Amino acid sequence: MTITQLEYIVAVDNFRHFAEAAEYCFVTQPTLSMQIIKLENELGVKIFDRSKHPVVPTDVGEQIIVQARKILNESQVISQIVADKKGVLQGELRLGIIPTLAPYLLPLFIQDFIKKYPQIKLIISDLTTGDIIDRLKTGRLDAGLLVTPLNDPGITEFHLFYEEMVAYVSKSSGAYRKTYVLPGDIDPNKLWLLEEGHCFRTQILNLCELRKSAGMNNFEYEAGSIETLRRMVEVNNGVTVLPELATMDLNARQLSLVRHFRPPAPMREVSIVTHRDFVKKRLVDVLIQEILRCLPEKIRKNKSKRIIAINESSQ
């Protein structure tokens, strides 16, 4: 049994496809398949049921793969110990980030991070919260940047900052004439929302208590990005809700359409999350430092008086 063989079975479990796993491991499919068969012969059991499409682990295979993941994680500790002893920050950090954070947070720190830590290879993917959690648990990601709390016992959360949620209103909206907006001021029939799968969509629903509204049945368009929401308000009127970072580069005309909710302001909590068996702690520590250093001062000072849940509303 070798570390390489364990890497191969974990890759097949991740992708549920031998060809894709081989491509990920930078080997040919025959090479990968031969090594897995060799491991199965050594153990005297079948790890994968090849008659299924996509391929799935057998019952005993699932147990073997769980243990393989633990061994691979522990094997990374050796390299980390050596790097720490040498005082060198190097390695690969695979990071997932949700789409409602990526375009606003990444530009703040990414260039400085790359220049400051040239020996750290940062691989970033835009993913939904569900995909990030799944990839953390299967070892395809090292860390995630997303909104918390998740209340997942398998995930460790490192709080970064709180981001205010603000209303973005057209001039025809009644909320435009208000200094502070109340959730009840938002007409659900004129509210633009992100499509299903975005935790920010759920936060807006929870903030505005829209589960109680029959008007929710009238929504026919759901946007794929926050920028689309903003443009829909500007061109087609109505209202939406934006995270604070998305307002940082607005011009004067656009800022005139921003309305704050009545204090205490609703916030979303942003964190870096890792799997509980995570080993690249030093790399994540420096990433956290760079993110916090580059944040606007206003956001660094936000408090957690009113956190809007990211889970489905029970209302």
Side-chain angles (χ1 to χ4, degrees), residues 117-308:
Y117 302 103
Q119 291 181 291
I120 298 177
K121 183 178 181 180
L122 196 57
I123 302 172
I124 302 177
S125 302
D126 275 20
L127 299 164
T128 64
T129 296
D131 286 338
I132 289 175
I133 300 308
D134 178 65
R135 295 190 186 200
L136 286 174
K137 291 181 176 180
T138 57
R140 288 179 285 169
L141 284 179
D142 298 310
L145 266 170
L146 43 71
V147 174
T148 52
L150 299 172
N151 300 314
D152 187 323
I155 298 297
T156 302
E157 301 174 7
F158 302 89
H159 164 72
L160 293 176
F161 59 89
Y162 298 104
E163 187 179 15
E164 184 178 351
M165 298 168 66
V166 301
Y168 195 67
V169 304
S170 62
K171 291 184 178 180
S172 65
S173 169
Y176 179 79
R177 296 182 290 277
K178 294 189 172 245
T179 302
Y180 288 107
V181 177
L182 298 173
D185 295 328
I186 296 178
D187 182 349
N189 294 299
K190 297 180 180 178
L191 175 65
W192 299 105
L193 286 171
L194 288 171
E195 61 192 0
E196 292 281 358
H198 293 274
C199 61
F200 194 63
R201 170 195 171 93
T202 306
Q203 286 184 296
I204 294 174
L205 295 177
N206 289 340
L207 169 64
C208 300
E209 300 183 334
L210 292 182
R211 290 302 185 201
K212 293 178 179 177
S213 173
M216 287 293 292
N217 296 325
N218 294 329
F219 292 140
E220 295 183 359
Y221 179 80
E222 295 173 348
S225 72
I226 286 177
E227 290 306 296
T228 302
L229 294 180
R230 182 177 61 77
R231 287 293 295 153
M232 293 301 286
V233 170
E234 294 170 0
V235 176
N236 296 298
N237 297 320
V239 179
T240 193
V241 177
L242 303 178
E244 189 172 3
L245 282 173
T247 69
M248 292 297 170
D249 61 352
L250 298 184
N251 58 39
R253 178 186 61 81
Q254 292 169 324
L255 286 173
S256 72
L257 303 180
V258 173
R259 293 293 180 273
H260 296 270
F261 287 93
R262 185 177 66 181
M267 299 281 177
R268 69 172 184 169
E269 179 183 79
V270 178
S271 302
I272 278 189
V273 301
T274 63
H275 189 261
R276 61 187 176 189
D277 297 325
F278 179 72
V279 297
K280 299 180 182 178
K281 186 177 184 302
R282 286 196 69 205
L283 301 188
V284 168
D285 284 345
V286 296
L287 180 62
I288 290 173
Q289 292 171 15
E290 287 304 304
I291 292 173
L292 294 178
R293 185 180 65 81
C294 296
L295 284 176
E297 183 177 1
K298 176 3 180 113
I299 291 182
R300 286 201 302 267
K301 292 181 177 179
N302 283 342
K303 304 299 180 183
S304 58
K305 292 182 178 179
R306 187 183 175 195
I307 303 301
I308 305 301

Side-chain angles (χ1 to χ4, degrees), residues 29 36 46 58 63 69 78 102 108 118 129 185 193-194 207 252 270:
Q29 183 176 340
I36 292 177
K46 290 293 183 183
T58 61
Q63 298 178 52
R69 293 186 190 280
I78 297 175
L108 296 181
T129 296
D185 295 328
L193 286 171
L194 288 171
L207 169 64
V270 178

Side-chain angles (χ1 to χ4, degrees), residues 24-37:
Y24 175 79
C25 295
F26 300 103
V27 296
T28 64
Q29 183 176 340
T31 296
L32 179 137
S33 296
M34 180 184 66
Q35 286 298 320
I36 292 177
I37 291 172

Side-chain angles (χ1 to χ4, degrees), residues 22-58:
E23 183 179 358
Y24 175 79
C25 295
F26 300 103
V27 296
T28 64
Q29 183 176 340
T31 296
L32 179 137
S33 296
M34 180 184 66
Q35 286 298 320
I36 292 177
I37 291 172
K38 186 176 180 180
L39 177 59
E40 290 176 324
N41 290 338
E42 178 184 341
L43 298 175
V45 296
K46 290 293 183 183
I47 298 174
F48 294 103
D49 183 348
R50 293 163 175 79
S51 68
K52 302 288 181 63
H53 299 283
V55 64
V56 296
T58 61

